[in-house]
């Protein structure tokens, strides 16, 4: 089975634009580059990946394009753009040109913003118009404080192709299930919205067992179904709690439990469709048989 990791990162701290790393676990404050993932990804049986921004600069997005050109498994890049810039359309066009087919979406780092209503600001309307006009996707990196603003944004842009990163970061450690599932219920009413089955293990508090994520996964399948869930590793953030292969196995087992027979969709087809990636062409680039 072809597996697409729809959410992984590379970063190089010496570039100087990863401000959030200062407060991250010490194990993450080093470079994570293709050479660090290649063997682990191959051993887990993951064929392709979508590379997601980790710094709020357009320069980092261009850096990811360069890394992607040296990692043939990368089939797309979700980048960053200054969405409040007056020339946001020209900036997006410049990134599309620089990516030469790699740019498939954009992601502001909303979780790090002090204003929980930022996503709903009317001043962002032009940026979201441009994202839709360029047929790009929007990755919503939000936590529960931002879900209300996200719902308001979706009412203003009902055709926006959006994916909720890490299931909206439920407060698993605090056990606040009801509040989170109420937001998921509202968000799931937006047909174009997909949700990433990613980042859940890193939300566990100590000494919680990983089984604590199961009610959340069950709720995601109940609300979105197998057709709108997309698996991602969130590597290397994942490494603070589990190995690449372990999270993949956990996610495969949970998918088979709550949506039997849908693994090909959750672990490949949904990501390819959502991000408009040509898997057949990617196979050819890797010299893989077309039917594999």
């Amino acid at each position: 089975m072809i597996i697409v990791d729809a959410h992984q990162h590379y970063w190089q701290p010496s570039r100087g634009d990863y401000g959030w790393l200062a407060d991250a676990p010490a194990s993450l404050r080093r470079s994570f580059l293709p050479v660090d993932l290649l063997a682990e990804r191959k051993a887990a049986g993951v064929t392709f990946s979508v590379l997601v921004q980790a710094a709020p600069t357009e320069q980092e997005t261009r850096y990811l394009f360069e890394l992607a050109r040296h990692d043939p498994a990368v089939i797309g890049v979700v980048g960053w753009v200054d969405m409040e810039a007056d020339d946001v359309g020209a900036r997006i066009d410049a990134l599309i040109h620089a990516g030469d087919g790699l740019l498939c979406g954009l992601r502001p780092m909303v979780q790090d913003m002090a204003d929980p209503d930022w996503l709903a600001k009317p001043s962002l309307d032009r940026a979201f118009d441009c994202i839709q006009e360029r047929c790009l996707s929007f990755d919503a990196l939000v936590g529960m404080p931002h879900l209300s603003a996200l719902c308001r944004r979706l009412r203003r842009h009902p055709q926006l192709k959006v994916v909720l990163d890490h299931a909206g970061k439920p407060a698993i450690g605090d056990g606040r299930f009801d509040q989170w599932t109420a937001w998921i219920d509202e968000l799931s009413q937006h047909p174009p919205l997909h949700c990433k089955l990613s980042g859940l293990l890193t939300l566990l508090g100590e000494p919680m067992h990983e089984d604590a994520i199961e009610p959340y996964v069950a709720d995601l399948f109940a609300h979105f179904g197998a057709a709108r869930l997309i698996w991602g590793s969130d590597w290397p953030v994942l490494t603070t709690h589990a190995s690449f292969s372990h999270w993949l196995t956990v996610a495969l087992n949970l998918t088979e439990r709550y949506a039997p027979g849908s693994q090909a969709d959750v672990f490949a087809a949904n990501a390819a469709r959502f991000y408009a990636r040509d898997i057949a062409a990617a196979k050819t680039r890797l010299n893989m048989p077309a039917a594999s």
Side-chain angles (χ1 to χ4, degrees), residues 84 115 117-125 128 149 153 156:
E84 297 189 270
D115 181 4
D117 292 321
W118 183 83
L119 274 175
K121 291 173 63 173
S123 60
L124 296 178
D125 287 356
F128 282 104
R153 171 55 59 190
R156 193 174 297 148

Side-chain angles (χ1 to χ4, degrees), residues 23-292:
D23 298 319
S27 63
L28 296 180
R29 296 179 214 154
R30 67 170 182 86
S31 62
F32 287 91
L33 297 171
V35 66
D36 300 303
L37 180 60
L38 180 61
E40 195 168 3
R41 185 169 57 197
K42 183 177 180 180
V46 173
T47 314
F48 301 114
S49 72
V50 174
L51 189 55
V52 179
Q53 64 81 226
T57 65
E58 292 163 27
Q59 291 79 10
E60 195 241 5
T61 298
R62 289 181 167 84
Y63 174 66
L64 296 182
F65 292 152
E66 291 305 311
L67 292 180
R69 292 184 180 106
H70 291 90
D71 182 355
V74 174
I75 57 174
V77 171
V78 175
W80 185 95
V81 73
D82 183 353
M83 293 180 64
E84 297 189 270
D86 291 338
D87 61 343
V88 63
R91 288 169 179 262
I92 292 174
D93 289 340
L95 289 177
I96 291 172
H97 178 74
D100 192 22
L102 282 169
L103 188 71
C104 58
L106 292 166
R107 185 179 86 148
M109 302 181 80
V110 180
Q111 68 173 9
D112 296 331
M113 296 179 179
D115 181 4
D117 292 321
W118 183 83
L119 274 175
K121 291 173 63 173
S123 60
L124 296 178
D125 287 356
R126 178 54 186 158
F128 282 104
D129 288 342
C130 291
I131 289 171
Q132 289 188 163
E133 291 164 4
R134 274 66 166 181
C135 299
L136 296 172
S137 64
F138 174 72
D139 265 58
L141 176 62
V142 297
M144 290 202 298
H146 314 99
L147 293 180
S148 174
L150 177 59
C151 289
R152 281 176 276 155
R153 171 55 59 190
L154 296 182
R155 287 193 287 271
R156 193 174 297 148
H157 280 84
Q159 303 307 313
L160 183 67
K161 188 169 67 168
V162 56
V163 61
L164 184 63
D165 285 357
H166 316 319
K169 294 203 162 184
I172 300 176
D174 296 337
R176 288 185 287 163
F177 183 84
D178 292 345
Q179 181 184 9
W180 170 80
T181 195
W183 285 121
I184 292 298
D185 185 62
E186 182 168 351
L187 288 168
S188 68
Q189 306 307 311
H190 180 71
L193 186 139
H194 287 57
C195 181
K196 285 187 179 174
L197 183 58
S198 63
L200 294 177
L201 291 184
T202 56
L203 298 175
L204 293 172
E206 294 293 343
M208 297 179 74
H209 190 272
E210 66 185 30
D211 289 348
I213 73 169
E214 185 164 350
Y216 295 86
V217 174
D219 201 63
L220 292 175
F221 276 103
H223 278 97
F224 294 106
R228 289 199 285 160
L229 286 176
I230 301 173
W231 177 76
S233 70
D234 197 25
W235 185 93
V237 181
L238 169 69
T239 61
T240 62
H241 284 70
S243 69
F244 190 95
S245 60
H246 179 72
W247 166 234
L248 175 60
T249 298
V250 169
L252 284 166
N253 289 340
L254 287 170
T255 298
E256 187 60 24
R257 185 174 305 159
Y258 291 103
S262 68
Q263 290 180 343
D265 294 323
V266 175
F267 291 84
N270 294 346
R273 183 178 65 254
F274 179 82
Y275 285 120
R277 300 294 91 185
D278 187 340
I279 295 298
K283 289 179 181 177
T284 300
R285 194 168 61 248
L286 286 182
N287 296 315
M288 294 176 61
S292 63

